[in-house]
Amino acid sequence: MANTTWEPERYSNLDKLLKESLELTDDPSLFDRLSKQLEKVKPDVAALFEYPGKNAQRRDELSKGTPKINGEKFNVNEEFIAAAKKLSDFLELDEDLASTI
């Protein structure tokens, strides 16, 4: 399973390789090392662009004015509810995620 959080330390080797490659080095092994590192983190990077879809239960909680934002339940007003629903519908996102945004 891919890691779905961006943790800078996970990508420190990749960062170092990219910086080395930008220095226009003549090291022939650099491309091979860079390729291997990119292949290693590819699933993690791709997972960062996968978002949960719409959810009827969360839609109901949002409609009641009690969405979860970053895992914590909040009481929100009608204007917030309408904006979060509009965002969720437009981007086809989970309502809690739309509320967080």
Side-chain angles (χ1 to χ4, degrees):
M1 181 174 184
N3 185 352
T4 58
T5 59
W6 188 265
E7 299 166 348
E9 61 275 1
R10 291 182 49 83
Y11 302 96
S12 62
N13 289 338
L14 177 59
D15 180 59
K16 180 181 175 188
L17 283 170
L18 288 170
K19 286 177 181 174
E20 288 175 11
S21 67
L22 291 174
E23 291 173 357
L24 302 174
T25 182
D26 291 333
D27 182 0
S29 68
L30 183 62
F31 179 76
D32 186 49
R33 289 177 25 223
L34 183 57
S35 263
K36 287 178 183 176
Q37 189 66 29
L38 286 171
E39 197 61 39
K40 184 178 176 182
V41 298
K42 184 178 178 180
D44 292 341
V45 172
L48 293 172
F49 298 98
E50 296 175 6
Y51 302 103
K54 295 168 70 60
N55 181 301
Q57 180 181 353
R58 292 185 177 148
R59 181 72 167 214
D60 187 49
E61 291 170 0
L62 175 60
S63 294
K64 293 176 183 175
T66 57
K68 286 185 182 172
I69 300 173
N70 292 324
E72 185 177 339
K73 193 170 268 198
F74 281 84
N75 291 313
V76 297
N77 62 27
E78 290 298 320
E79 185 179 356
F80 184 97
I81 294 168
K85 283 182 177 180
K86 187 174 184 177
L87 185 61
S88 173
D89 292 343
F90 183 73
L91 297 176
E92 297 184 17
L93 288 178
D94 174 88
E95 288 73 9
D96 284 352
L97 181 56
S99 296
T100 300
I101 295 171

